[in-house]
Amino acid sequence: MTSTEFTTADATSTFVPAPATPYQGDIARYWNNEARPVNLRLGDVDGLYHHHYGIGAVDHASLGTPEDSEYEKKLIAELHRLESAQAEVLLDHLGPIGPDDTLMDAGCGRGGSMVMAHQRFGCKVEGVTLSAKQADFANRRAGELDIENHVHARVCNMLDTPFETGQMAGSWNNESSMYVDLHDLMAEHSRVLATGGRYVTITGCWNPKYGQPSKWVSQINAHFECNIHSRREYLRAMADNRLVPNAVVDLTAATLPYWELRATSSLVTGIEEAFIESYKDGSFQYLLIAADRV
Ligand SMILES: C[S@@+](CC[C@H](N)C(=O)[O-])C[C@H]1O[C@@H](n2cnc3c(N)ncnc32)[C@H](O)[C@@H]1O
Ligand SMILES: CC(C)=CCC/C(C)=C/COP(=O)(O)OP(=O)(O)O
Ligand SMILES: [Mg+2]
């Protein structure tokens, strides 16, 4: 199939462009086949479906004790609360956004952050993902919430979007930048953002201070088929693309309670140890970077 041919995903109405590279085909398949119960069980708490991790202190008082028959349900609600708190912090850094503005969610997953952005700002949100299953899920959810005129996901490469130059008041990557070349990514954000618009990323990155990616970072890469970048690469790619950081927030200490709680739950996936150990040995950092498009 050539890059100009289009096909439809099984049992969906979403048009799916041929992947730009074989790797992007792998990632589309990965997310079309993803079925870890942790993600749907947490999303079912209130209908916001995330594929990112949590931040903030665990409210141990709300959990009760493990002997409590409702303990596991409360634990799931608590993990979900921390994941939504993470998205709130990302949205806090977008600056003033109004109902007439449009935002871009690059690597939107099942759309939880897009719904939150619309509910907070009243704005339009355009999401892109490589996965038809995720785009359909996000669009179905927007329909159920009656916000399909404001929140829309499409299957599209975040490095080559159909949006107009300067169209976006803000844009973000929430744990989705480890699948692409950062220079290409920042160039596309820089293109779609209006001058004065804000770009925000929350990401896991390896710490140049450690030297090279640790074995834990390699394990996370293998688990998700991704390529975690270093902190230095983010800052360089932004600087080269008219994106000037106005906040760099180290969220590593804030995400550890989420991981330590998750490691005790029935929904563990096996990657918990790698996150906990790499955050603790300093080889890996959970970072928010907000940048102005100048
Ligand atoms: C870990 S999920 C994050 C989802 C979402 N940002 C969230 O916070 O719930 C990674 C997402 O990046 C998307 N992705 C990876 N590479 C992409 C690319 N080149 N273009 C568009 N989306 C991409 C995947 O399809 C997936 O939706
Ligand atoms: C911080 C880093 C390096 C993230 C890698 C990207 C990623 C897969 C995020 C979580 O997705 P998920 O919510 O589907 O994962 P899980 O099933 O583990 O909850
Ligand atoms: Mg998850």
Side-chain angles (χ1 to χ4, degrees), residues 17-283:
T21 59
Y23 173 75
Q24 288 196 5
D26 291 343
I27 299 309
R29 262 189 302 282
Y30 177 97
W31 289 106
N32 283 333
N33 294 330
E34 187 275 331
R36 293 181 290 276
V38 62
N39 297 307
L40 286 177
R41 291 286 300 280
L42 268 61
D44 287 343
V45 170
D46 64 1
L48 290 170
Y49 291 86
H50 301 306
H51 283 281
H52 60 246
Y53 299 122
I55 55 170
V58 171
D59 180 359
H60 286 285
S62 77
L63 289 176
T65 63
E67 294 73 43
D68 183 346
S69 61
E70 296 278 283
Y71 181 80
E72 189 66 14
K73 194 175 156 198
K74 290 178 184 168
L75 192 155
I76 287 166
E78 184 62 1
L79 289 173
H80 182 65
R81 185 183 71 78
L82 299 176
E83 291 190 0
S84 288
Q86 186 263 33
E88 295 287 6
V89 168
L90 188 155
L91 300 179
D92 289 343
H93 284 82
L94 283 171
I97 302 293
D100 294 334
D101 288 327
T102 305
L103 302 173
M104 179 175 80
D105 182 348
C108 63
R110 285 183 159 124
S113 304
M114 292 204 287
V115 171
M116 290 173 65
H118 169 69
Q119 288 174 342
R120 185 192 287 210
F121 303 120
C123 62
K124 271 192 161 177
V125 191
E126 297 278 4
V128 297
T129 168
L130 292 177
S131 159
K133 188 176 140 194
Q134 289 188 328
D136 285 339
F137 190 103
N139 289 331
R140 195 167 54 247
R141 196 61 206 117
E144 286 164 4
L145 294 168
D146 214 11
I147 57 172
E148 67 269 35
N149 292 335
H150 286 88
V151 170
H152 181 252
R154 72 187 74 207
V155 180
C156 171
N157 176 8
M158 65 171 94
L159 305 179
D160 183 18
T161 70
F163 307 121
E164 283 170 33
T165 297
Q167 182 188 342
M168 301 293 170
S171 64
W172 72 82
N173 283 99
N174 197 349
E175 296 188 19
S176 53
S177 50
M178 55 289 291
Y179 296 94
V180 290
D181 177 276
L182 286 186
H183 275 83
D184 294 346
L185 178 66
M186 298 309 162
E188 184 63 358
H189 280 286
S190 190
R191 185 188 71 76
V192 300
L193 279 170
T195 304
R198 184 71 61 74
Y199 169 71
V200 184
T201 182
I202 295 186
T203 188
C205 55
W206 63 267
N207 189 354
K209 217 175 137 184
Y210 190 83
Q212 286 287 319
S214 66
K215 65 178 177 184
W216 302 118
V217 171
S218 301
Q219 201 172 310
I220 297 168
N221 276 336
H223 185 85
F224 292 116
E225 299 179 35
C226 66
N227 292 291
I228 290 165
H229 306 288
S230 70
R231 187 173 78 224
R232 185 179 176 201
E233 287 173 82
Y234 278 95
L235 296 173
R236 181 177 291 165
M238 286 180 189
D240 288 348
N241 286 286
R242 307 190 69 92
L243 293 168
V244 178
N246 78 351
V248 180
V249 186
D250 187 348
L251 297 170
T252 309
T255 194
L256 261 169
Y258 165 91
W259 282 103
E260 282 166 343
L261 182 64
R262 174 167 152 152
T264 69
S265 86
S266 63
L267 297 172
V268 288
T269 63
I271 200 60
E272 289 75 13
E273 182 189 21
F275 277 90
I276 292 169
E277 294 306 322
S278 61
Y279 285 142
K280 284 188 172 169
D281 72 14
S283 63

